Amino acid sequence: MRHNKNILKFPSLLIFLLTGIIAFSQTNKQADLEARRQELRLEIQKISQLQAENKTKQKSQLSLIQEFNYKISVINNLIKLTNQQANLLTRDINDNQKRITGLRKELENLKKDYAGMIVKSYKNKNQQSRIMFLLSSEDFKQAYKRLQYIKQYSNHQKEQGETIKAKTIELQEVNKNLQKQKNDKQNLIAENRELQKSLEKERTQHESLMNSIKKNINVYASQIKEKQREADRIDREIENIIKAAIASSNKKAGNKATTGSSSSFALTAEEKVLAASFVSNKGKLPWPVEKGYVTLAYGTQPHPLDKSLTTQSNGVRIATEKGSKVRAVFNGEVSRIVLIKNANPVIMIRHGNYITAYKNLSKVYVKEGDKVTTKQAIGEVFTNPMDGETVLSFTVFKEAKTENPASWIYKM
């Protein structure tokens, strides 16, 4: 009989465990969404702050379009995320309302049973009736069992009282959580309304700007192509420098068979350790500037101004504030300070067989051969006096091939 009772209890236990797991999973998901929401809000604040700092400068139309596109995409992402949070809260609210209904029913039954026990105890509370109940036993064994029954009944009463107390507290807690969830949902809905207004404002300005640009689309298309040619020229120069450094490392190591043809650095034991450490920190490296946002992502993509034009970026472009210090993203050695004709200085830092390049600098604080540490200031980003733009170009190389910086930099 005991075995059958356990079988009956098992589904209830399973349901309880599954409910707990689902609730824990939803709580974790809500926490993740909230963390991401705060990140996006901070991102919008950074963009607005940088826009405000540079509002006195006459920015180029192309830069303004990039700013609008990026800000609109971030606002869109934030709207989607707040909708996800609101939907998840709706499910949580519904679950808690069901749970409250179940707890109230359970509490009602517990109180009913407890009231019945109290009445029964009151009728049998006479000490003499208990003694008579024991003395009327047929033998000692029966008397002992009756004594145990009296004790168990008394303990059961206490347990029932404690259960009622615990369930009451649980009900109060669920009610409190429910109210908080309802308030959180209302706040998210209100925030979403404000975001929709902000998005509409940004889109209106974007559309107005696009209409004025379309009147001179050929002029702007020519500027885009010229910028791309200039970026390609600098990238080719850096790539040639890296290839020469690879050949030099092989020659120094005595790899005669591969000198001039190898595509990989000949690493020392120390450089191998540094490269391994660099790789182990992939996705966790700090940003090369303290404040900023990406205006141009890695890879080939259609230009926001004219979809028939494409931009090829071997790294990322990061808009930042005037006077921003450039920081080394990891420990390494300054392999080159590159001075290219009609371009601003470039710092190249080697991390074993990986290289990080920091382009468009106005000041350089380090020299070739210097050992640098993570977050060490190595220079300052150039600010264009014509339009007030302060943009750092940042690239990650493995040997002479580029990699997406967003895969390396923390939450880029």
Side-chain angles (χ1 to χ4, degrees), residues 38-52:
Q38 293 304 330
E39 286 170 13
L40 289 173
R41 289 181 69 187
L42 186 62
E43 190 78 1
I44 292 170
Q45 285 176 12
K46 282 196 294 184
I47 301 167
S48 299
Q49 185 182 351
L50 290 172
Q51 284 177 329

Side-chain angles (χ1 to χ4, degrees), residues 111-264:
K111 286 180 178 179
K112 193 174 179 180
D113 291 344
Y114 188 71
M117 281 194 293
I118 294 298
V119 171
K120 191 175 180 181
S121 295
Y122 179 78
K123 289 179 179 178
N124 299 323
K125 73 175 182 177
N126 190 312
Q127 187 67 22
Q128 188 176 355
S129 65
R130 289 184 182 180
I131 293 170
M132 289 302 297
F133 178 63
L134 291 172
L135 291 176
S136 63
S137 303
E138 294 179 2
D139 52 33
F140 178 77
K141 187 176 180 180
Q142 191 181 58
Y144 177 76
K145 283 185 177 180
R146 287 184 175 185
L147 181 61
Q148 290 300 108
Y149 169 76
I150 291 169
K151 286 181 180 179
Q152 286 172 2
Y153 191 78
S154 177
N155 289 336
H156 183 58
Q157 273 187 307
K158 289 177 183 177
E159 285 172 6
Q160 282 288 86
E162 290 298 321
T163 302
I164 289 169
K165 185 179 176 182
K167 288 291 177 186
T168 303
I169 293 169
E170 186 182 352
L171 181 60
Q172 290 170 349
E173 191 63 31
V174 174
N175 268 315
K176 191 164 71 173
N177 288 339
L178 179 64
Q179 192 55 52
K180 183 181 181 302
Q181 286 166 343
K182 285 180 177 179
N183 291 338
D184 288 345
K185 184 180 175 181
Q186 288 306 312
N187 291 337
L188 285 171
I189 290 169
E191 182 178 331
N192 227 328
R193 287 197 194 102
E194 291 303 313
L195 285 170
Q196 293 286 357
K197 289 179 186 176
S198 176
L199 181 62
E200 191 57 39
K201 181 182 174 183
E202 295 291 333
R203 279 179 172 161
T204 301
Q205 291 178 322
H206 178 269
E207 188 177 348
S208 174
L209 185 60
M210 285 295 289
N211 288 334
S212 68
I213 286 173
K214 283 175 183 177
K215 294 174 184 176
N216 298 298
I217 190 67
N218 291 334
V219 174
Y220 290 109
S222 178
Q223 289 178 12
I224 293 165
K225 289 173 183 176
E226 179 56 37
K227 275 192 172 184
Q228 184 67 59
R229 282 194 292 270
E230 181 65 15
D232 291 343
R233 182 178 73 88
I234 295 169
D235 288 340
R236 279 195 303 271
E237 185 76 24
I238 293 170
E239 187 180 334
N240 289 334
I241 289 169
I242 294 173
K243 285 178 178 177
I246 290 171
S248 176
S249 74
N250 279 281
K251 186 176 180 181
K252 188 177 178 181
N255 299 341
K256 294 180 182 178
T258 57
T259 300
S261 62
S262 176
S263 60
S264 302

Side-chain angles (χ1 to χ4, degrees), residues 351-365:
H351 320 274
N353 61 331
Y354 288 88
I355 290 172
T356 50
Y358 311 76
K359 296 176 269 186
N360 196 38
L361 308 183
S362 61
K363 295 178 183 177
V364 175
Y365 302 155

Side-chain angles (χ1 to χ4, degrees), residues 30-43 74 77-78 81 84-85 411:
Q30 192 65 265
D32 290 341
L33 288 173
E34 179 59 23
R36 180 63 184 141
R37 185 172 75 94
Q38 293 304 330
E39 286 170 13
L40 289 173
R41 289 181 69 187
L42 186 62
E43 190 78 1
V74 175
N77 287 337
L78 186 53
L81 195 136
Q84 283 181 328
Q85 278 189 286
K411 292 184 178 178

Side-chain angles (χ1 to χ4, degrees), residues 294 296-301 312-316 395-396 401-406:
V294 174
L296 181 64
Y298 175 83
T300 303
Q301 51 222 302
Q312 169 58 41
S313 175
N314 285 340
V316 292
T395 312
V396 177
K401 292 188 176 180
T402 61
E403 297 203 354
N404 189 351

